[in-house]
Amino acid sequence: MQRQLEQIIVAATLAFLLGCHAGLSKLLPLIPALILAALFLLLLAWCCRQKAGVKLLAAAGIGLCFCCGAASGSGAMRQPQLPLQTFTGQEVRIFGRVEAGSVKVTPQGTSLVLACHKLQQAVQTNSAELGSSLPDTAIAVSGKVRVFVQGQDLSEKITGGVIVQGTLKPLTDFVNPGGWDGGLWNELQDLQGRMSIKGSELYLSGDGQSIRQYIGGLAAGLRSNLQHTVPGQAGAVLAGMTLGGYDGISAQTREDFAAVGLAHLLAVSGTHIAVVTGFLLVLLRRRNHCTMALLAGILFFYAALCGFKPPVLRALLMSLALFGAGVSGRLPQRSNIFCAVVILLLCYEPRWLWDAGFQLSFTTTAGLLYFYPVLSCLCTRYLPVGIAEILAVSLTAQLAALPFLIHYFHQLSLSGLAANLLLVPLLELALLLTLAGYALLPVFGLGKLLFLLAGLLLHPLLNIIHWLASGGWATVTVGSWPLLCGAVYYLLLLLLFGSSDWDDFTACERRLLIGLCCCMLVGIGLYDKFRPQPLTVHFIDVGQGDAALVVTPQRHTLLIDTGGLRGDYDTGSRIVLPYLRYLGIRSLDMLLLSHGHHDHAGGAAAVAKNIPIRRLILPQEQPSADIQALLKNTKAQLIYAESGTNYSLGNTAIQIISAPVGRADSDANESSLIVRVVSADSSIVFTGDATETEELLAAGQIQPGQVLKVSHHGSNASSSMPFLAAVSPQLAVISVGAANSYGHPGSETLQRLATCGAQVRRTDQDGALKITFDGSQVKCYSYRYQKEFF
């Protein structure tokens, strides 16, 4: 009976999760969800009164949980106050409080996140009026805004409430499959806009420091002490592991940790709090009510130091739940506590269901509850107990989270098991030394000594992690998994390791189910590999730049340009590579750069460093810094393009229509390649940043193309009528950044495209674009609005 009750509670929790997703997706609105919940509640009451069977009671309870989850999710999408983003594009005065730990200082100024509570549609005022008390005309709003104060270091001055005045601008993000989902992140953080202001447009309202801000200042002081004692990447990694955040951690270090399956250790997670809990239990020894209260208090204060950010709060509650459940020593009770915590977390903030941290934390903890006992027994048969326990924990965590790791990273870490087995205990030791250093910092420099010891331990570990990540065998690209694959995979795990759930099945029936699951997984993979593939072109959203991927019917791959943005944001590693991995692409048959400008070639070096390239086609010009960096990172066959030459990828031809020879004193746009890709009856023309002069020279030689990549991001100085008439495109794609300072695309270009009858699609409006050629029919899909086609 107890096992049956446990199974019902697990099913009810899963129903709550499914309902929450339906509510967040607006599939089941709030009012219908509440009505259905009331009906299920009446049904449950009737079943109890009539002493109905267990199955009917369970069905009513599970249905009620689904409706409650839907009501919770749809309620989270309703704003109790006016959303801040309602005033996008307007001059406003915002009253709010600085988020603890959000103040960051750069050479260009100070950035912060402001939690807003009042807003006034501003008029021109002097600084004295700006700092006046809250006016009667201010209205209540909800949301947060990212504020950048130009040219000033305000880290020591911002301690309480703040008033800012300026134009509220929309948040911009890249909309591509495979990479970081900035839009979802902003939604989860409730960020609704951004402002760039001068120092005179910010005023401290005089509100005192909150306790949360005081603790945030204490954490900042601890972080500063640590990074001053242990400089470089070791100090930044130790600070991130113990206090959260990625400040100072380089992109290379993050990639190294991700490649070996240790990315979760770079920020505070359930692993860290579990280590702290275990260490405190060893120190406190007695497990009575006073010990539990002290332990909870210490962990609560530690979570406060980390900023009570969602991952920290989740990790705290998950760890306390596991610890409390572990005291009971009984699996059913541990399972019930875990389910209760999951529902409690999602009732508090339903949108966490869509957060990667919550999903990984949930699946990992569930795996430790339900799969670890069987895996631990298997490992202890062949290995010493200590090694077996570490290996079982690592295996369980990776097996349980595998579909989500593939969903977010599209790779499997082959070195992950070794890294977890050998490195995690040492990294946890460095973590404990650092935390002890925080506690003993005032004691005659003992804290700094512990910091130094942690740094000495971490330095060689970082080198080992980099070595493991640098090997070509460290990871394997697997692409994206369909939802059906994930469901079949978890059923397979239950069959293999959830032994108590399958007592009603014979060994033969169980083996048959396991075989069917394996056949389904293999069959789905083979179908995806061998299904018909039309000529497909992906225009990647890289902001104000160009990047396009061509996949031929024979699955050959051609990448044309790689984007590039100002600053240290590498479009190659942050956008293009995740896109390629999402599609399961492990190598490129050809990389073609239209010219050497940074917005076309800036990501090329990172792409070449991470995946093999067979042929590289470059324009005839003086190599830019980006192209020089590319040539250092690739062993591809190097070809300098010449007008009139053709190259083949299976049955697909790459025709070089125009390849001007660049002069030393000329702009690189003047040597931009114009290329036509042809496969059977399908054709597409790429123009890079070709000027009107180059277009006119190519107009007499080019044949029509169904799709045109519009030159120079839609600049008025390109896309001349003779050239457009020669190409005669059905569809014109403009790769352009949102709200760019160049005014692209130009109104004259848009008018010329309309005159020639081309449908216009833009990456700043649609995000990534996927174009397929089905005979003479051209289909175009937007990732922003039609994700299901990607």
Side-chain angles (χ1 to χ4, degrees):
M1 181 65 184
Q2 181 130 10
R3 186 166 70 88
Q4 191 176 29
L5 179 62
E6 178 199 354
Q7 291 173 343
I8 292 172
I9 291 174
V10 171
T13 304
L14 293 175
F16 186 91
L17 296 177
L18 187 60
C20 189
H21 175 70
L24 289 170
S25 304
K26 301 180 181 179
L27 298 175
L28 186 56
L30 179 61
I31 301 302
L34 291 175
I35 293 173
L36 287 174
L39 292 176
F40 273 110
L41 185 60
L42 289 173
L43 177 61
L44 187 62
W46 180 84
C47 291
C48 292
R49 186 180 181 86
Q50 298 296 322
K51 297 183 179 179
V54 174
K55 291 184 178 179
L56 187 57
L57 278 168
I62 291 170
L64 178 61
C65 285
F66 174 83
C67 294
C68 289
S72 178
S74 54
M77 305 307 288
R78 297 165 66 94
Q79 296 285 351
Q81 295 173 328
L82 196 62
L84 183 66
Q85 61 192 9
T86 305
F87 302 91
T88 299
Q90 300 182 30
E91 182 81 7
V92 294
R93 186 183 305 158
I94 295 176
F95 303 79
R97 186 175 288 275
V98 177
E99 284 280 288
S102 69
V103 179
K104 303 288 186 297
V105 179
T106 68
Q108 292 76 34
T110 303
S111 66
L112 56 95
V113 174
L114 192 64
C116 311
H117 56 84
K118 291 285 183 180
L119 176 144
Q120 183 187 26
Q121 289 176 288
V123 295
Q124 292 297 324
T125 58
N126 56 44
S127 58
E129 292 172 331
L130 180 61
S132 61
S133 60
L134 198 66
D136 295 335
T137 55
I139 56 178
V141 293
S142 63
K144 300 175 185 176
V145 61
R146 193 182 300 279
V147 180
F148 182 75
V149 186
Q150 303 165 11
Q152 294 195 27
D153 181 354
L154 301 176
S155 57
E156 302 296 328
K157 300 178 183 179
I158 299 178
T159 57
V162 168
I163 304 170
V164 295
Q165 180 169 316
T167 302
L168 183 64
K169 300 177 181 178
L171 293 165
T172 57
D173 54 83
F174 304 105
V175 185
N176 297 294
W180 175 257
D181 192 337
L184 178 59
W185 168 258
N186 291 334
E187 182 179 341
L188 293 172
Q189 303 302 312
D190 202 20
L191 282 165
Q192 299 186 22
R194 60 188 175 92
M195 298 176 74
S196 180
I197 63 175
K198 300 175 183 176
S200 59
E201 294 172 316
L202 178 143
Y203 186 83
L204 304 182
S205 66
D207 295 344
Q209 230 183 353
S210 66
I211 294 177
R212 187 171 177 179
Q213 286 178 312
Y214 173 78
I215 295 176
L218 178 61
L222 293 174
R223 185 188 297 270
S224 176
N225 260 296
L226 170 62
Q227 292 184 295
H228 180 75
T229 307
V230 185
Q233 284 300 289
V237 169
L238 287 173
M241 288 173 62
T242 53
L243 295 173
Y246 293 95
D247 293 350
I249 301 178
S250 68
Q252 183 63 58
T253 301
R254 289 191 227 177
E255 291 172 12
D256 291 344
F257 272 73
V260 297
L262 299 176
H264 61 286
L265 294 178
L266 283 180
V268 178
S269 64
T271 303
H272 299 70
I273 294 183
V275 169
V276 174
T277 303
F279 180 68
L280 291 174
L281 285 174
V282 171
L283 292 180
L284 298 173
R285 294 188 180 181
R286 294 184 180 181
R287 300 188 182 184
N288 51 35
H289 292 296
C290 293
T291 303
M292 288 291 293
L294 179 60
L295 175 67
I298 293 173
L299 290 178
F300 188 84
F301 179 72
Y302 177 49
L305 275 179
C306 298
F308 274 133
K309 296 175 182 176
V312 177
L313 183 58
R314 288 195 302 268
L316 172 66
L317 290 180
M318 288 282 190
S319 297
L320 287 177
L322 271 181
F323 173 71
V327 172
S328 71
R330 298 170 60 189
L331 178 59
Q333 192 165 345
R334 293 202 300 270
S335 173
N336 297 345
I337 292 174
F338 169 68
C339 292
V341 169
V342 170
I343 293 176
L344 177 65
L345 285 168
L346 292 180
C347 286
Y348 174 73
E349 178 48 84
R351 285 177 291 193
W352 283 352
L353 180 65
W354 286 350
D355 182 74
F358 176 86
Q359 294 166 2
L360 292 171
S361 175
F362 169 77
T363 52
T364 300
T365 308
L368 291 171
L369 275 172
Y370 298 108
F371 305 144
Y372 171 74
V374 175
L375 277 167
S376 178
C377 290
L378 288 174
C379 292
T380 50
R381 289 181 188 175
Y382 308 102
L383 296 169
V385 175
I387 296 176
E389 292 294 321
I390 296 173
L391 181 61
V393 168
S394 177
L395 270 173
T396 303
Q398 292 194 51
L399 287 173
L402 183 64
F404 289 95
L405 292 173
I406 290 174
H407 175 73
Y408 288 109
F409 302 108
H410 320 295
Q411 291 180 303
L412 288 178
S413 174
L414 301 181
S415 56
L417 280 177
N420 277 271
L421 184 63
L422 301 174
L423 301 181
V424 168
L426 297 175
L427 289 168
E428 289 174 351
L429 177 58
L431 167 75
L432 290 174
L433 286 172
T434 306
L435 291 174
Y438 291 147
L440 300 175
L441 199 56
V443 184
F444 305 110
L446 184 57
K448 292 193 175 184
L449 177 61
L450 292 174
F451 288 163
L452 288 172
L453 289 175
L456 288 173
L457 176 60
L458 190 62
H459 272 296
L461 295 181
L462 291 178
N463 292 330
I464 293 171
I465 290 170
H466 180 68
W467 175 75
L468 287 172
S470 299
W473 46 269
T475 57
V476 57
T477 299
V478 294
S480 59
W481 265 19
L483 183 62
L484 179 60
C485 269
V488 173
Y489 173 82
Y490 280 121
L491 176 60
L492 181 61
L493 281 190
L494 285 171
L495 288 165
L496 289 171
F497 306 118
S499 56
S500 62
D501 298 322
W502 302 93
D503 293 343
D504 297 334
F505 288 79
T506 65
C508 182
E509 290 171 335
R510 190 166 168 177
R511 284 195 292 269
L512 179 61
L513 286 173
I514 290 172
L516 286 174
C517 288
C518 292
C519 289
M520 285 186 69
L521 289 174
V522 172
I524 293 171
L526 290 175
Y527 170 76
D528 187 63
K529 184 175 180 62
F530 294 106
R531 62 185 172 86
Q533 165 72 48
L535 178 66
T536 303
V537 183
H538 299 262
F539 287 94
I540 305 172
D541 179 11
V542 290
Q544 186 68 10
D546 274 13
L549 174 72
V550 179
V551 183
T552 74
Q554 292 78 37
R555 289 181 167 76
H556 295 296
T557 51
L558 162 66
L559 181 64
I560 301 178
D561 291 338
T562 58
L565 297 172
R566 296 173 182 173
D568 58 356
Y569 190 97
D570 192 324
T571 56
S573 61
R574 305 280 290 275
I575 298 178
V576 179
L577 278 171
Y579 202 120
L580 297 178
R581 290 167 180 159
Y582 173 83
L583 297 175
I585 294 173
R586 301 183 180 91
S587 64
L588 288 171
D589 293 292
M590 187 178 292
L591 170 61
L592 183 149
L593 296 181
S594 63
H595 62 297
H597 276 174
H598 184 67
D599 60 333
H600 291 252
V607 171
K609 184 178 179 181
N610 287 276
I611 61 174
I613 300 170
R614 292 185 178 87
R615 284 186 283 180
L616 173 62
I617 299 181
L618 296 178
Q620 299 185 58
E621 63 180 12
Q622 190 69 25
S624 65
D626 290 315
I627 290 182
Q628 291 177 29
L630 163 65
L631 294 174
K632 292 178 181 177
N633 284 283
T634 184
K635 297 179 181 178
Q637 176 189 356
L638 180 58
I639 302 169
Y640 287 98
E642 295 183 7
S643 300
T645 55
N646 293 338
Y647 305 96
S648 62
L649 291 175
N651 296 331
T652 301
I654 293 87
Q655 303 171 351
I656 309 297
I657 306 300
S658 175
V661 178
R663 302 188 307 272
D665 59 344
S666 65
D667 183 78
N669 289 347
E670 297 177 5
S671 58
S672 187
L673 302 181
I674 297 178
V675 179
R676 185 171 180 264
V677 178
V678 185
S679 179
D681 296 329
S682 308
S683 58
I684 181 169
V685 176
F686 295 91
T687 55
D689 280 352
T691 64
E692 183 177 1
T693 303
E694 277 66 53
E695 288 181 343
L696 292 174
L697 290 173
Q701 308 168 36
I702 197 167
Q703 294 178 335
Q706 292 161 290
V707 178
L708 169 68
K709 199 292 298 181
V710 177
S711 179
H712 204 184
H713 323 293
S715 165
N716 286 331
S718 300
S719 301
S720 60
M721 279 306 300
F723 183 75
L724 294 179
V727 177
S728 187
Q730 301 173 28
L731 176 67
V733 176
I734 303 177
S735 186
V736 63
N740 64 86
S741 59
Y742 304 99
H744 295 159
S747 58
E748 296 175 20
T749 293
L750 294 175
Q751 181 60 46
R752 289 194 291 267
L753 290 168
T755 301
C756 75
Q759 178 191 2
V760 176
R761 303 298 292 267
R762 297 163 47 172
T763 57
D764 62 332
Q765 297 177 347
D766 295 315
L769 292 165
K770 176 182 176 181
I771 298 173
T772 59
F773 296 82
D774 185 6
S776 59
Q777 187 178 12
V778 179
K779 298 179 181 179
C780 183
Y781 306 102
S782 159
Y783 187 69
R784 187 184 292 275
Y785 304 110
Q786 299 165 297
K787 293 183 180 180
E788 65 273 15
F789 291 98
F790 283 75

